[in-house]
Coordinates of all heavy atoms in Angstrom, one line a residue:
M50 N -6.9 6.0 10.7 CA -5.8 5.2 10.1 C -5.9 5.2 8.6 O -7.0 5.1 8.0 CB -5.9 3.7 10.6 CG -4.8 2.9 10.1 SD -4.9 1.2 10.7 CE -4.5 1.5 12.5
K51 N -4.8 5.5 7.9 CA -4.8 5.6 6.5 C -4.3 4.3 5.8 O -3.3 3.7 6.2 CB -3.9 6.7 6.1 CG -3.8 6.9 4.6 CD -2.9 8.1 4.2 CE -2.5 8.1 2.8 NZ -1.5 9.1 2.5
I52 N -5.1 3.9 4.8 CA -4.8 2.7 4.0 C -4.5 3.2 2.6 O -5.3 3.9 2.0 CB -5.8 1.6 4.1 CG1 -5.4 0.4 3.3 CG2 -7.2 2.1 3.6 CD1 -6.3 -0.8 3.6
L53 N -3.4 2.8 2.1 CA -3.0 3.2 0.7 C -3.1 1.9 -0.2 O -2.4 0.9 0.1 CB -1.5 3.7 0.7 CG -0.9 4.0 -0.7 CD1 -1.7 5.1 -1.4 CD2 0.5 4.3 -0.5
I54 N -3.9 2.0 -1.2 CA -4.1 0.9 -2.1 C -3.5 1.3 -3.4 O -3.9 2.3 -4.1 CB -5.6 0.6 -2.3 CG1 -6.2 0.2 -0.9 CG2 -5.8 -0.5 -3.3 CD1 -7.7 0.0 -0.9
I55 N -2.5 0.5 -3.9 CA -1.7 0.9 -5.0 C -1.9 0.1 -6.3 O -1.2 0.2 -7.3 CB -0.2 0.9 -4.7 CG1 0.3 -0.5 -4.3 CG2 0.1 1.9 -3.6 CD1 1.8 -0.6 -4.1
D56 N -2.9 -0.8 -6.2 CA -3.3 -1.6 -7.4 C -4.8 -1.5 -7.6 O -5.5 -1.1 -6.7 CB -2.8 -3.0 -7.2 CG -1.4 -3.2 -7.6 OD1 -1.0 -3.0 -8.8 OD2 -0.6 -3.6 -6.8
A57 N -5.3 -2.1 -8.7 CA -6.7 -2.1 -8.9 C -7.4 -2.8 -7.8 O -7.0 -3.8 -7.3 CB -7.0 -2.8 -10.3
F58 N -8.6 -2.2 -7.4 CA -9.3 -2.8 -6.3 C -10.8 -2.5 -6.6 O -11.1 -1.4 -7.1 CB -8.9 -2.1 -5.0 CG -8.9 -2.9 -3.8 CD1 -8.0 -4.0 -3.7 CD2 -9.7 -2.7 -2.7 CE1 -7.9 -4.7 -2.5 CE2 -9.6 -3.4 -1.6 CZ -8.8 -4.5 -1.5
S59 N -11.7 -3.3 -6.2 CA -13.1 -3.1 -6.6 C -13.7 -2.0 -5.7 O -13.3 -1.8 -4.5 CB -13.9 -4.4 -6.3 OG -14.1 -4.6 -5.0
E60 N -14.6 -1.3 -6.2 CA -15.3 -0.2 -5.5 C -16.0 -0.7 -4.3 O -16.0 0.0 -3.2 CB -16.2 0.6 -6.4 CG -16.8 1.9 -5.8 CD -15.7 2.9 -5.4 OE1 -14.8 3.1 -6.1 OE2 -15.9 3.5 -4.3
A61 N -16.6 -1.9 -4.4 CA -17.3 -2.4 -3.2 C -16.3 -2.6 -2.1 O -16.6 -2.4 -0.9 CB -17.9 -3.7 -3.6
H62 N -15.1 -3.1 -2.4 CA -14.1 -3.3 -1.3 C -13.6 -2.0 -0.7 O -13.3 -1.9 0.5 CB -13.0 -4.2 -1.8 CG -13.4 -5.6 -2.0 ND1 -13.7 -6.2 -3.2 CD2 -13.7 -6.6 -1.1 CE1 -14.0 -7.4 -3.1 NE2 -14.1 -7.7 -1.8
L63 N -13.4 -1.0 -1.6 CA -13.0 0.3 -1.1 C -14.0 0.8 -0.2 O -13.7 1.4 0.9 CB -12.8 1.2 -2.3 CG -11.7 0.9 -3.3 CD1 -11.7 1.8 -4.5 CD2 -10.3 1.1 -2.6
E64 N -15.3 0.7 -0.5 CA -16.4 1.2 0.4 C -16.4 0.4 1.7 O -16.7 1.0 2.7 CB -17.7 1.1 -0.3 CG -17.9 2.2 -1.4 CD -17.7 3.6 -0.9 OE1 -18.2 4.0 0.2 OE2 -17.0 4.4 -1.6
A65 N -16.2 -0.9 1.6 CA -16.2 -1.7 2.9 C -15.1 -1.2 3.8 O -15.3 -1.1 5.0 CB -16.0 -3.1 2.5
L66 N -13.9 -0.8 3.3 CA -12.8 -0.3 4.1 C -13.2 1.0 4.7 O -12.9 1.3 5.8 CB -11.5 -0.2 3.3 CG -10.9 -1.6 2.8 CD1 -9.8 -1.4 1.8 CD2 -10.4 -2.3 4.1
R67 N -13.8 1.9 3.9 CA -14.2 3.2 4.4 C -15.3 3.0 5.5 O -15.3 3.8 6.5 CB -14.8 4.0 3.2 CG -13.7 4.5 2.3 CD -14.3 5.4 1.1 NE -13.3 5.7 0.2 CZ -13.3 5.3 -1.1 NH1 -14.2 4.5 -1.5 NH2 -12.3 5.6 -1.9
A68 N -16.2 2.1 5.3 CA -17.2 1.8 6.3 C -16.6 1.4 7.7 O -17.2 1.6 8.7 CB -18.2 0.7 5.8
L69 N -15.4 0.9 7.7 CA -14.7 0.5 8.9 C -14.0 1.7 9.6 O -13.5 1.6 10.6 CB -13.6 -0.5 8.6 CG -14.0 -1.9 8.1 CD1 -12.8 -2.7 7.7 CD2 -14.8 -2.6 9.3
G70 N -14.1 2.9 8.9 CA -13.6 4.1 9.5 C -12.2 4.4 9.0 O -11.5 5.3 9.5
L71 N -11.7 3.7 8.0 CA -10.3 3.9 7.5 C -10.4 5.0 6.5 O -11.3 5.2 5.7 CB -9.8 2.6 6.8 CG -9.6 1.4 7.7 CD1 -9.4 0.2 6.9 CD2 -8.4 1.6 8.6
T72 N -9.3 5.8 6.4 CA -9.1 6.8 5.4 C -8.5 6.0 4.2 O -7.4 5.5 4.4 CB -8.2 7.9 5.8 OG1 -8.8 8.5 7.0 CG2 -7.9 8.9 4.7
V73 N -9.2 5.9 3.1 CA -8.7 5.1 2.0 C -8.1 6.0 0.9 O -8.8 6.9 0.4 CB -9.8 4.2 1.4 CG1 -9.3 3.5 0.2 CG2 -10.4 3.3 2.5
E74 N -6.9 5.8 0.6 CA -6.3 6.5 -0.5 C -6.0 5.5 -1.6 O -5.2 4.6 -1.5 CB -4.9 7.2 -0.1 CG -4.4 8.2 -1.1 CD -3.3 9.0 -0.5 OE1 -3.4 9.5 0.6 OE2 -2.3 9.1 -1.2
Y75 N -6.8 5.7 -2.7 CA -6.8 4.7 -3.8 C -5.9 5.3 -5.0 O -6.3 6.3 -5.6 CB -8.2 4.4 -4.3 CG -8.3 3.4 -5.4 CD1 -7.7 2.2 -5.3 CD2 -9.1 3.7 -6.5 CE1 -7.9 1.3 -6.3 CE2 -9.2 2.8 -7.5 CZ -8.6 1.6 -7.4 OH -8.7 0.7 -8.4
K76 N -4.7 4.7 -5.2 CA -3.8 5.3 -6.2 C -3.2 4.1 -7.0 O -2.0 3.8 -7.0 CB -2.7 6.0 -5.5 CG -3.2 7.3 -4.8 CD -2.0 8.1 -4.4 CE -2.5 9.5 -4.0 NZ -1.4 10.4 -3.8
P77 N -4.1 3.5 -7.9 CA -3.6 2.4 -8.7 C -2.6 2.9 -9.8 O -1.9 2.0 -10.3 CB -4.8 1.8 -9.3 CG -5.8 2.9 -9.3 CD -5.5 3.7 -8.1
Q78 N -2.6 4.1 -10.1 CA -1.7 4.7 -11.1 C -0.3 5.0 -10.6 O 0.5 5.4 -11.4 CB -2.4 5.9 -11.7 CG -2.3 7.2 -10.8 CD -3.2 7.2 -9.6 OE1 -4.0 6.3 -9.4 NE2 -3.1 8.3 -8.8
L79 N 0.0 4.9 -9.4 CA 1.3 5.2 -8.8 C 2.4 4.4 -9.5 O 2.3 3.2 -9.8 CB 1.4 4.8 -7.3 CG 0.9 5.8 -6.3 CD1 1.1 5.3 -4.9 CD2 1.6 7.2 -6.4
T80 N 3.5 5.1 -9.8 CA 4.7 4.4 -10.3 C 5.6 4.0 -9.2 O 5.4 4.5 -8.1 CB 5.4 5.4 -11.3 OG1 6.0 6.5 -10.5 CG2 4.5 5.9 -12.4
A81 N 6.6 3.2 -9.5 CA 7.6 2.8 -8.5 C 8.3 4.0 -7.9 O 8.6 4.1 -6.8 CB 8.5 1.8 -9.1
D82 N 8.5 5.0 -8.8 CA 9.2 6.2 -8.3 C 8.4 7.1 -7.4 O 8.9 7.8 -6.6 CB 9.7 7.1 -9.6 CG 10.8 6.4 -10.3 OD1 11.5 5.5 -9.8 OD2 10.9 6.7 -11.5
E83 N 7.1 7.0 -7.6 CA 6.2 7.9 -6.8 C 5.8 7.2 -5.4 O 5.4 7.9 -4.5 CB 4.9 8.1 -7.6 CG 5.1 9.0 -8.8 CD 3.9 9.0 -9.7 OE1 3.1 8.0 -9.7 OE2 3.7 10.0 -10.4
L84 N 5.9 5.9 -5.4 CA 5.5 5.2 -4.2 C 6.2 5.6 -2.9 O 5.5 5.8 -1.9 CB 5.7 3.7 -4.3 CG 5.2 2.8 -3.2 CD1 3.8 3.1 -2.8 CD2 5.5 1.3 -3.5
P85 N 7.5 5.9 -2.8 CA 8.1 6.3 -1.6 C 7.5 7.5 -0.9 O 7.3 7.6 0.3 CB 9.6 6.5 -1.9 CG 9.8 5.6 -3.1 CD 8.5 5.6 -3.9
A86 N 7.1 8.5 -1.7 CA 6.5 9.7 -1.2 C 5.1 9.4 -0.8 O 4.6 9.9 0.3 CB 6.5 10.8 -2.2
A87 N 4.4 8.6 -1.5 CA 3.0 8.3 -1.2 C 2.8 7.4 0.1 O 1.8 7.5 0.8 CB 2.3 7.6 -2.4
I88 N 3.8 6.6 0.4 CA 3.7 5.7 1.5 C 4.1 6.3 2.8 O 3.8 5.8 3.9 CB 4.7 4.5 1.2 CG1 4.2 3.2 2.0 CG2 6.1 4.8 1.5 CD1 5.0 2.0 1.6
E89 N 4.6 7.5 2.8 CA 5.1 8.2 4.0 C 4.2 8.1 5.2 O 4.6 7.8 6.3 CB 5.6 9.6 3.8 CG 6.9 9.7 3.2 CD 7.4 11.1 3.1 OE1 6.7 12.0 2.7 OE2 8.6 11.3 3.5
D90 N 2.9 8.5 5.0 CA 2.0 8.6 6.1 C 0.9 7.5 6.1 O -0.1 7.6 6.9 CB 1.3 10.0 6.1 CG 0.5 10.3 4.9 OD1 0.6 9.5 3.9 OD2 -0.3 11.2 4.9
A91 N 1.1 6.4 5.4 CA 0.2 5.3 5.4 C 0.5 4.3 6.5 O 1.6 4.0 6.8 CB 0.2 4.6 4.0
S92 N -0.6 3.8 7.1 CA -0.4 2.8 8.1 C -0.5 1.4 7.5 O 0.1 0.5 8.0 CB -1.6 2.9 9.2 OG -1.5 4.2 9.8
I93 N -1.3 1.3 6.4 CA -1.4 0.0 5.7 C -1.3 0.3 4.2 O -1.8 1.2 3.7 CB -2.8 -0.6 6.0 CG1 -3.1 -0.8 7.5 CG2 -3.0 -1.9 5.2 CD1 -4.5 -1.1 7.9
V94 N -0.6 -0.6 3.6 CA -0.4 -0.6 2.1 C -1.0 -1.9 1.6 O -0.6 -3.0 2.1 CB 1.0 -0.4 1.7 CG1 1.2 -0.5 0.2 CG2 1.6 1.0 2.1
V95 N -1.8 -1.8 0.6 CA -2.3 -3.0 -0.1 C -1.8 -3.0 -1.5 O -2.0 -2.0 -2.3 CB -3.9 -3.0 -0.1 CG1 -4.4 -4.2 -0.9 CG2 -4.4 -3.0 1.3
A96 N -1.1 -4.0 -1.9 CA -0.5 -4.2 -3.2 C -0.9 -5.5 -3.8 O -1.2 -6.4 -3.1 CB 1.0 -4.1 -3.1
R97 N -1.0 -5.6 -5.1 CA -1.2 -6.8 -5.8 C 0.0 -7.2 -6.7 O 0.7 -8.0 -6.4 CB -2.5 -6.7 -6.6 CG -2.8 -8.0 -7.4 CD -4.2 -7.9 -8.0 NE -5.2 -8.0 -7.0 CZ -6.4 -7.5 -7.0 NH1 -6.7 -6.8 -8.1 NH2 -7.2 -7.6 -6.1
S98 N 0.1 -6.4 -7.8 CA 1.2 -6.7 -8.7 C 2.4 -5.7 -8.6 O 3.5 -6.0 -9.0 CB 0.7 -6.8 -10.1 OG 0.2 -5.5 -10.5
K99 N 2.1 -4.6 -8.0 CA 3.2 -3.6 -7.9 C 4.1 -4.0 -6.7 O 3.7 -4.5 -5.7 CB 2.6 -2.2 -7.6 CG 1.9 -1.7 -8.8 CD 1.6 -0.2 -8.6 CE 0.9 0.3 -9.9 NZ 0.1 1.4 -9.7
E100 N 5.4 -3.7 -6.9 CA 6.4 -4.0 -5.9 C 6.5 -2.9 -4.8 O 6.4 -1.7 -5.1 CB 7.8 -4.2 -6.6 CG 7.8 -5.4 -7.5 CD 9.2 -5.6 -8.1 OE1 10.2 -4.9 -7.6 OE2 9.3 -6.5 -8.9
V101 N 6.7 -3.4 -3.6 CA 6.9 -2.5 -2.5 C 8.3 -2.8 -2.0 O 8.6 -3.8 -1.4 CB 5.9 -2.8 -1.3 CG1 6.2 -1.8 -0.2 CG2 4.5 -2.6 -1.8
K102 N 9.2 -1.9 -2.5 CA 10.7 -2.2 -2.3 C 11.2 -1.4 -1.0 O 10.5 -0.6 -0.4 CB 11.4 -1.7 -3.5 CG 11.1 -2.5 -4.8 CD 11.9 -2.0 -5.9 CE 11.6 -2.8 -7.2 NZ 12.4 -2.4 -8.3
S103 N 12.4 -1.7 -0.7 CA 13.0 -1.2 0.5 C 13.1 0.3 0.5 O 12.9 0.9 1.6 CB 14.4 -1.8 0.8 OG 15.2 -1.4 -0.3
A104 N 13.3 1.0 -0.6 CA 13.3 2.4 -0.7 C 12.0 3.0 -0.2 O 12.0 4.1 0.5 CB 13.7 2.9 -2.1
A105 N 10.9 2.4 -0.6 CA 9.6 2.9 -0.2 C 9.3 2.7 1.3 O 8.9 3.5 2.0 CB 8.5 2.3 -1.0
I106 N 9.6 1.5 1.7 CA 9.4 1.1 3.1 C 10.2 2.0 4.0 O 9.7 2.4 5.1 CB 9.8 -0.4 3.3 CG1 8.8 -1.3 2.5 CG2 9.8 -0.8 4.8 CD1 9.2 -2.7 2.4
A107 N 11.4 2.3 3.6 CA 12.3 3.2 4.5 C 11.7 4.6 4.7 O 11.9 5.2 5.7 CB 13.7 3.3 3.8
R108 N 10.9 5.1 3.7 CA 10.3 6.4 3.9 C 9.0 6.4 4.7 O 8.5 7.4 5.1 CB 9.9 6.9 2.5 CG 11.0 7.3 1.6 CD 11.5 8.7 1.7 NE 10.5 9.7 1.5 CZ 10.2 10.4 0.3 NH1 10.9 10.1 -0.8 NH2 9.3 11.3 0.3
A109 N 8.5 5.2 5.0 CA 7.2 5.1 5.7 C 7.4 5.5 7.2 O 8.3 4.9 7.9 CB 6.7 3.7 5.6
K110 N 6.6 6.3 7.7 CA 6.7 6.8 9.1 C 5.7 6.1 10.0 O 5.9 6.0 11.2 CB 6.5 8.3 9.2 CG 7.6 9.0 8.5 CD 7.4 10.5 8.6 CE 8.5 11.2 7.8 NZ 8.1 12.3 7.0
A111 N 4.5 5.6 9.4 CA 3.5 5.0 10.2 C 3.1 3.6 9.8 O 2.2 3.0 10.3 CB 2.2 5.9 10.1
L112 N 3.9 3.1 8.9 CA 3.5 1.8 8.3 C 3.6 0.6 9.3 O 4.6 0.4 10.0 CB 4.5 1.5 7.2 CG 4.2 0.2 6.3 CD1 2.9 0.4 5.6 CD2 5.3 0.0 5.3
A113 N 2.5 -0.1 9.4 CA 2.4 -1.2 10.3 C 2.1 -2.5 9.6 O 2.4 -3.6 10.1 CB 1.2 -1.0 11.3
L114 N 1.6 -2.4 8.4 CA 1.2 -3.6 7.6 C 1.2 -3.4 6.1 O 0.8 -2.4 5.6 CB -0.3 -4.0 8.1 CG -0.9 -5.2 7.5 CD1 -0.2 -6.5 7.9 CD2 -2.4 -5.2 7.9
I115 N 1.8 -4.4 5.4 CA 1.7 -4.5 4.0 C 1.0 -5.7 3.6 O 1.3 -6.8 4.0 CB 3.1 -4.5 3.4 CG1 4.0 -3.3 3.8 CG2 3.0 -4.6 1.8 CD1 5.4 -3.4 3.4
V116 N -0.1 -5.5 2.8 CA -1.0 -6.6 2.5 C -0.8 -6.9 1.0 O -0.8 -6.0 0.2 CB -2.5 -6.3 2.7 CG1 -3.4 -7.4 2.3 CG2 -2.7 -6.0 4.2
R117 N -0.6 -8.2 0.7 CA -0.5 -8.6 -0.7 C -1.9 -9.1 -1.1 O -2.4 -10.1 -0.5 CB 0.5 -9.7 -0.9 CG 0.5 -10.4 -2.3 CD 1.1 -9.5 -3.4 NE 0.9 -10.0 -4.7 CZ 1.5 -11.0 -5.4 NH1 2.5 -11.6 -4.8 NH2 1.2 -11.3 -6.6
A118 N -2.6 -8.4 -2.0 CA -4.0 -8.9 -2.4 C -3.8 -9.9 -3.5 O -4.0 -9.7 -4.7 CB -4.8 -7.7 -2.9
G119 N -3.4 -11.1 -3.1 CA -3.1 -12.2 -4.0 C -2.2 -13.2 -3.3 O -2.0 -13.1 -2.1
A120 N -1.7 -14.1 -4.0 CA -1.0 -15.2 -3.4 C 0.5 -14.8 -3.3 O 1.1 -14.2 -4.2 CB -1.1 -16.5 -4.2
G121 N 1.2 -15.2 -2.3 CA 2.6 -15.0 -2.1 C 3.0 -13.6 -1.7 O 2.1 -12.8 -1.4
V122 N 4.3 -13.4 -1.5 CA 4.8 -12.1 -1.1 C 5.9 -11.7 -2.0 O 6.8 -10.8 -1.6 CB 5.3 -12.1 0.4 CG1 4.1 -12.3 1.3 CG2 6.3 -13.2 0.6
N123 N 6.0 -12.2 -3.2 CA 7.1 -11.9 -4.1 C 7.2 -10.4 -4.6 O 8.2 -10.0 -5.1 CB 7.1 -12.8 -5.3 CG 5.8 -12.7 -6.2 OD1 4.7 -12.7 -5.6 ND2 6.0 -12.6 -7.4
T124 N 6.2 -9.6 -4.3 CA 6.2 -8.2 -4.7 C 6.6 -7.3 -3.5 O 6.6 -6.1 -3.7 CB 4.9 -7.8 -5.3 OG1 3.8 -7.9 -4.4 CG2 4.5 -8.5 -6.6
I125 N 6.8 -7.9 -2.4 CA 7.1 -7.2 -1.2 C 8.5 -7.5 -0.7 O 8.9 -8.7 -0.6 CB 6.1 -7.5 0.0 CG1 4.7 -7.1 -0.5 CG2 6.5 -6.7 1.2 CD1 3.6 -7.7 0.4
D126 N 9.3 -6.5 -0.4 CA 10.7 -6.7 0.2 C 10.5 -7.1 1.6 O 10.4 -6.2 2.5 CB 11.5 -5.5 0.0 CG 13.0 -5.7 0.5 OD1 13.2 -6.6 1.3 OD2 13.9 -5.0 -0.1
V127 N 10.3 -8.4 1.9 CA 9.9 -8.9 3.2 C 11.1 -8.6 4.2 O 10.8 -8.2 5.3 CB 9.6 -10.4 3.2 CG1 9.4 -10.9 4.5 CG2 8.4 -10.6 2.3
K128 N 12.3 -8.7 3.8 CA 13.4 -8.4 4.7 C 13.4 -6.9 5.2 O 13.5 -6.7 6.4 CB 14.7 -8.7 4.0 CG 15.9 -8.6 4.9 CD 17.2 -8.9 4.2 CE 18.4 -8.8 5.1 NZ 19.6 -9.2 4.4
A129 N 13.2 -6.0 4.2 CA 13.1 -4.6 4.6 C 11.8 -4.3 5.5 O 11.9 -3.6 6.4 CB 13.0 -3.7 3.4
A130 N 10.7 -5.0 5.1 CA 9.5 -4.8 5.9 C 9.6 -5.3 7.3 O 9.2 -4.7 8.3 CB 8.3 -5.5 5.2
S131 N 10.3 -6.5 7.5 CA 10.5 -7.0 8.8 C 11.4 -6.2 9.6 O 11.2 -6.0 10.8 CB 11.1 -8.4 8.7 OG 10.1 -9.3 8.0
A132 N 12.4 -5.6 9.0 CA 13.4 -4.7 9.7 C 12.7 -3.4 10.1 O 13.0 -2.8 11.2 CB 14.6 -4.5 8.9
H133 N 11.8 -3.0 9.3 CA 11.1 -1.7 9.6 C 10.2 -1.8 10.8 O 10.1 -1.0 11.6 CB 10.3 -1.3 8.4 CG 9.6 0.1 8.5 ND1 10.3 1.2 8.5 CD2 8.3 0.4 8.8 CE1 9.4 2.2 8.6 NE2 8.2 1.7 8.8

């Protein structure tokens, strides 16, 4: 299972995810324009301050979960995610 992390994340947490057997793609430098292509084959996306908009969600083929590493869901298009 592939997890795409699009914001800064500690190396210790990245290693913990890898230890679970997840394929971790760490791309904190992704721009909003690059996210739709990057999200296509991810099962899980972890975001903090970057927005996960409907255009990106629509491109996702395997997406099952979007995690906000912080409080709230204001950076996630919840309506598009729920419909997906």
Side-chain angles (χ1 to χ4, degrees):
M50 182 176 291
K51 178 179 167 184
I52 183 168
L53 173 64
I54 301 174
I55 62 172
D56 277 298
F58 216 67
S59 75
E60 188 59 39
H62 289 103
L63 293 172
E64 286 305 316
L66 292 169
R67 290 182 184 111
L69 294 172
L71 295 168
T72 300
V73 178
E74 192 167 313
Y75 181 53
K76 294 191 169 190
Q78 75 287 356
L79 274 180
T80 66
D82 291 337
E83 296 169 327
L84 182 57
I88 203 173
E89 276 189 317
D90 62 344
S92 298
I93 302 168
V94 173
V95 178
R97 180 171 288 148
S98 60
K99 290 191 180 160
E100 292 186 8
V101 182
K102 296 182 179 183
S103 62
I106 294 168
R108 292 270 304 265
K110 295 180 180 138
L112 188 62
L114 181 65
I115 302 171
V116 177
R117 168 81 192 277
V122 292
N123 60 313
T124 61
I125 299 169
D126 186 331
V127 175
K128 185 176 180 180
S131 296
H133 182 74

